[in-house]
Amino acid sequence: NTRMEIRRMDVDLLVHNADIITMDEFRPRATSIAVLHGRIVAVGDTSGLNAKRTLDAHGATIIPGLGDSHNHMAWYGLALSEIDLSNVRDLSELYALVAARAAELEPGEFVIGNGYYHAKIGGHPRREELDRAAGGRPVWLKHGSGHIAAVNTAVLEMAGIFDGTAVVPDGGIVERDSSGVPTGILEEQAQKLVVNLVTPYSLDHLSDSLERAAAHYAAEGLTHVTEAGIGGGWIGKTPIELAAYQRVRDRGGLRVRAQLMPTVDALHPLLSHPDDHVDFGLDLGITSGFGDDLLRIGPMKIWLDGGLVSRTAHVYEQFCDRHSHGYFQDDPKVLRSQILKAHRSGWSVAAHAIGDRTIDFALDVFEEAQKHWPRPTVRHRFEHAAMTSQEQIDRMAQLGITPVPQAHFIHDLGDTMSAALGPQRSDSLYRVASFLKAGLHVPGSSDRPVAYGAPLAGIQSMVERLTEMGKCLGPDERVDVHTALRSYTIDTAWIAGQENDWGIIRPGMAADFVLLGDDITKIASERISRTQIVATFLSGECTHGSSALQWQDSSTPPLQNLISN
């Protein structure tokens, strides 16, 4: 009857003559899709349907919309207007870029740069050199990992470092030289000292930044993303950060479905009936899952340790090139309490856990939470899960904790991570095959802008696991391209709790799909990341590439070309 009803009306969009990789095990390939009111109403058998718009794909490959389960959309959007330091290869070039930007600013304005990696430029920027380059203006340079910042004397003075009035947060370090003088390097939570000087950002500035980021995302085939931290901590941009996303959505500029993780700093004690066990969260009892198809609250984000590039992840065996085991981001008793309260109050929890010591700590806490307040269907997750033993993987599977690794870290950051850990530990970095073998979902993600964020690059890295210098880290953790594509479609939808709406091209699902310039399942792996994103569709509407497509209505002859001249 439903089929008969569809045939009595025009569908909104009909795409035919395509090579569709559906990711549906019951119909792996198809040639056409029909869309009505933003949903797929027919796949394959679309004969006899009239359409308001028709697109002849001329054999082009179509895949479900791609997802990113861990990115920093606001950070990336803001970085687009800051000094791009990601391709800098020596300190002299960095200082020149700082000087050039400073010359464009008024006295007292912050010079802000983003994306430098000290291992690639010969060390961290020196405070005195930044003073000279900026001509007295405050300088804030964000390390590409997000776990370190380099600042100059003006910033340290403003933060109260030199006069002793600064209160360094637990889980953070203000680096000092052998004489006890601050070097200008702020690790982990100490970054709040500079963040507090420049935030909150205005909603206008933040909204414009999000809209710029969204345009880039759509051009890369992204249709759903998770923002890994808003509203507080060193990563938050303003306590009212959600309002910026709402503004962009309301004016039609969001272009992707966005799930937002409030940081643990944004949550607070709540007053409720004792029987409710809801005593920690957001006002009105808002918790994970609140929202709509386009904008939704996700898990609570909590940082348990640091990173491998910064050598601040908490590990059992010290780093090879630094006599340190890293450290927790706060008193373990505080971290434990926050996770337990969030779990008890109905939140799903996204725990940033990189070092193997941190993984064990978190597993113990999650096991305790489930023992006292059983929630068998909750989808808690480990952000990164960078260093895991087989025993830890087995416990993750037993407890239902989903790992969210970043495969493209292997390419962009693998060489410096390998130097930190040595060959014996490097092959177990950011596992994929072992997680899958244990029965775990492995959602695709980038941690953008920490690493290059295009999902096709992440898929290629899952297949190859090659570092920038061409070394294969963990060859046994490689997977085939179809499995990698599943991570960026089905599993990104699953971890967001939207597996019945996204990730598969099937009747009833949201009409989110991507037209590719080639079939990534059939080409050489080194070509995957270079495959053209011809067009991206969200709910049947083109969010990228519309001007390159030639449309027809039901009265026009068939198209001659998919891409116009």
Side-chain angles (χ1 to χ4, degrees):
N1 290 337
T2 301
R3 185 70 183 166
M4 292 175 63
E5 289 298 322
I6 293 173
R7 291 187 184 281
R8 290 181 188 143
M9 67 179 72
D10 287 348
V11 296
D12 295 324
L13 172 65
L14 176 62
V15 181
H16 65 97
N17 194 18
D19 180 18
I20 304 170
I21 302 172
T22 66
M23 302 305 293
D24 184 349
E25 60 181 322
F26 300 106
R27 186 198 290 268
R29 295 265 177 168
T31 59
S32 59
I33 312 171
V35 178
L36 180 66
H37 303 321
R39 293 274 168 175
I40 297 170
V41 293
V43 177
D45 182 12
T46 58
S47 60
L49 293 180
N50 292 320
K52 297 175 183 177
R53 295 182 302 160
T54 300
L55 184 65
D56 185 338
H58 288 275
T61 296
I62 292 179
I63 59 174
L66 299 168
D68 189 332
S69 294
H70 181 119
N71 92 109
H72 300 282
M73 191 172 181
W75 177 7
Y76 175 69
L78 289 167
L80 293 174
S81 61
E82 298 168 351
I83 307 172
D84 181 7
L85 303 174
S86 59
N87 295 316
V88 171
R89 287 297 179 264
D90 61 66
L91 285 168
S92 61
E93 181 184 358
L94 180 145
Y95 298 138
L97 289 171
V98 168
R101 177 59 60 91
E104 300 171 356
L105 302 176
E106 296 295 326
E109 284 192 79
F110 265 80
V111 180
I112 303 177
N114 188 79
Y116 85 88
Y117 277 101
H118 65 289
K120 297 181 179 181
I121 61 175
H124 290 289
R126 294 176 56 82
R127 173 169 60 86
E128 299 84 356
E129 293 296 332
L130 293 178
D131 292 343
R132 280 189 282 271
R137 297 169 182 81
V139 180
W140 175 26
L141 304 183
K142 307 169 195 176
H143 194 268
S145 69
H147 293 277
I148 302 173
V151 299
N152 68 343
T153 303
V155 172
L156 294 177
E157 290 174 343
M158 295 166 68
I161 297 297
F162 285 117
D163 63 14
T165 60
V167 177
V168 180
D170 291 339
I173 292 176
V174 175
E175 185 183 84
R176 298 176 183 272
D177 63 21
S178 58
S179 302
V181 178
T183 64
I185 300 302
L186 308 177
E187 288 186 3
E188 302 298 346
Q189 296 296 324
Q191 294 177 98
K192 289 181 179 178
L193 296 171
V194 60
V195 169
N196 291 340
L197 298 174
V198 298
T199 60
Y201 289 102
S202 73
L203 288 180
D204 285 344
H205 182 43
L206 193 53
S207 298
D208 290 344
S209 298
L210 290 171
E211 196 157 342
R212 285 194 297 270
H216 281 259
Y217 287 10
E220 293 172 347
L222 286 166
T223 58
H224 52 280
V225 301
T226 294
E227 164 67 79
I230 68 165
W234 59 263
I235 204 165
K237 312 307 176 200
T238 171
I240 58 171
E241 198 161 348
L242 176 57
Y245 287 85
Q246 288 181 293
R247 280 193 178 189
V248 177
R249 180 196 63 182
D250 292 347
R251 69 194 193 194
L254 194 53
R255 298 187 191 225
V256 292
R257 307 182 192 279
Q259 184 185 71
L260 312 178
M261 293 183 185
T263 69
V264 66
D265 306 75
L267 275 58
H268 54 78
L270 297 174
L271 178 64
S272 64
H273 191 282
D275 292 345
D276 294 333
H277 302 296
V278 177
D279 55 11
F280 186 59
L282 300 177
D283 290 337
L284 304 178
I286 293 171
T287 187
S288 302
F290 181 82
D292 58 27
D293 285 344
L294 200 59
L295 194 58
R296 190 181 298 266
I297 297 292
M300 177 203 80
K301 172 70 178 292
I302 183 169
W303 281 263
L304 302 183
D305 67 349
L308 292 175
V309 173
S310 56
R311 281 50 169 176
T312 54
H314 205 17
V315 295
Y316 284 116
E317 182 183 347
Q318 70 180 15
F319 294 106
C320 297
D321 52 3
R322 180 173 175 177
H323 298 299
S324 169
H325 294 271
Y327 48 87
F328 285 121
Q329 291 279 296
D330 204 338
D331 184 327
K333 293 180 181 179
V334 173
L335 298 173
R336 170 185 169 274
S337 175
Q338 290 172 327
I339 293 175
L340 293 178
K341 287 189 296 183
H343 171 89
R344 185 179 65 222
S345 298
W347 285 88
S348 57
V349 176
H352 171 111
I354 287 184
D356 48 5
R357 189 167 183 174
T358 304
I359 297 287
D360 275 340
F361 166 79
L363 285 168
D364 289 343
V365 177
F366 281 124
E367 184 172 10
E368 180 183 357
Q370 289 287 17
K371 178 180 178 180
H372 291 291
W373 304 280
R375 295 177 60 201
T377 61
V378 69
R379 295 175 185 177
H380 294 321
R381 39 192 283 178
F382 281 156
E383 305 308 300
H384 312 301
M387 297 175 62
T388 49
S389 66
Q390 187 57 53
E391 180 184 2
Q392 291 172 330
I393 293 172
D394 292 341
R395 286 190 71 193
M396 290 165 65
Q398 180 184 6
L399 292 169
I401 311 298
T402 301
V404 185
Q406 290 70 44
H408 201 60
F409 277 7
I410 298 295
H411 178 271
D412 284 7
L413 308 173
D415 291 311
T416 183
M417 289 180 178
S418 183
L421 299 176
Q424 291 186 331
R425 289 183 285 177
S426 295
D427 280 349
S428 63
L429 282 172
Y430 299 95
R431 295 174 184 256
V432 176
S434 294
F435 290 144
L436 293 170
K437 186 176 180 181
L440 294 163
H441 293 264
V442 183
S445 72
S446 68
D447 202 17
R448 187 200 319 245
V450 175
Y452 180 53
L456 291 185
I459 289 172
Q460 180 172 322
S461 284
M462 278 190 173
V463 174
E464 295 182 332
R465 292 185 64 88
L466 295 177
T467 72
E468 195 172 32
M469 296 180 66
K471 180 181 179 182
C472 182
L473 294 185
D476 291 341
E477 298 298 330
R478 292 176 295 189
V479 296
D480 63 82
V481 66
H482 192 272
T483 300
L485 181 58
R486 179 186 175 92
S487 287
Y488 280 85
T489 53
I490 293 174
D491 284 351
T492 52
W494 184 87
I495 194 58
Q498 301 296 312
E499 67 270 26
N500 294 321
D501 295 295
W502 319 329
I504 300 176
I505 295 176
R506 174 193 291 165
M509 305 291 276
D512 300 352
F513 54 90
V514 181
L515 277 71
L516 298 178
D518 215 332
D519 183 344
I520 61 172
T521 67
K522 296 180 179 179
I523 61 177
S525 61
E526 63 266 21
R527 292 174 52 197
I528 294 173
S529 63
R530 301 196 301 270
T531 299
Q532 180 189 10
I533 303 294
V534 177
T536 304
F537 285 78
L538 184 74
S539 294
E541 296 296 328
C542 191
T543 58
H544 163 74
S546 181
S547 62
L549 301 176
Q550 294 181 346
W551 302 94
Q552 68 180 99
D553 59 35
S554 57
S555 63
T556 59
L559 298 178
Q560 299 302 311
N561 296 291
L562 173 65
I563 304 175
S564 65
N565 295 325

